[in-house]
Amino acid sequence: MLLEGSCHCGAVRFSVNSHTPAPFMRCYCAVCRKTQGGGGFAINLAGEADSLTVTGRRHLATYRAREELVDGGAEADGLSPLRRHFCRKCGSALWCADPRWPELVHPFASAIDTPLPKPPETVHIMLSVKPAWVAAPSGKRHAHFDHYPSESIEDWHKARALWRD
């Protein structure tokens, strides 16, 4: 499925092919909260890095979180290897990418303009660092994890017949 996205001011636009377009996972880590605002949670999708096209690249900037904000995996410089791309004009979070998995790019659902399918359930992750004032919905359609679940984005989509060719 072709996903098209943009920042709030329109300076950056992008497209990427994705087999996993259902925005099902919400992250409550400090990095997501502080870079995307409010109670946080970034909803990442997975896209094929070699299909990513970007207009307005000169308006892009990247951010790498400090080690103390990262749940493991910091590099020698004390920063996360994950690069969060955002618009330097309006600050909109657009996608993240990690050189350990160069074939993937993870656009934030909040930046996608293409209509996305409604997920049948929501997975809430990094609840061990969620602030007390943030409520994570509960019930039979909500799974909760203190850290990361073992099921990947790909596996989650395939198990629910949501994988798109």
Side-chain angles (χ1 to χ4, degrees), residues 60-76:
L60 278 178
T62 59
Y63 174 69
R64 292 174 57 209
R66 295 183 325 268
E67 181 176 15
E68 65 268 18
L69 296 176
V70 179
D71 187 32
E75 293 186 335

Side-chain angles (χ1 to χ4, degrees), residues 18-38:
S18 176
H19 297 288
T20 58
F24 74 98
M25 186 180 290
R26 298 179 182 190
C27 179
Y28 294 84
C29 78
V31 181
C32 291
R33 287 194 326 269
K34 292 178 180 286
T35 62
Q36 294 192 274

Side-chain angles (χ1 to χ4, degrees), residues 46-112:
E48 299 171 359
D50 63 356
S51 72
L52 179 67
T53 61
V54 180
T55 59
R57 219 175 252 282
R58 71 185 181 280
H59 301 294
L60 278 178
T62 59
Y63 174 69
R64 292 174 57 209
R66 295 183 325 268
E67 181 176 15
E68 65 268 18
L69 296 176
V70 179
D71 187 32
E75 293 186 335
D77 60 5
L79 299 176
S80 167
L82 185 83
R83 274 87 171 153
R84 292 170 175 268
H85 294 78
F86 63 95
C87 174
R88 69 174 67 241
K89 287 182 73 175
C90 68
S92 296
L94 301 169
W95 68 85
C96 57
D98 192 316
R100 295 173 292 182
W101 298 279
E103 71 281 6
L104 296 174
V105 62
H106 296 283
F108 296 114
S110 57
I112 300 298

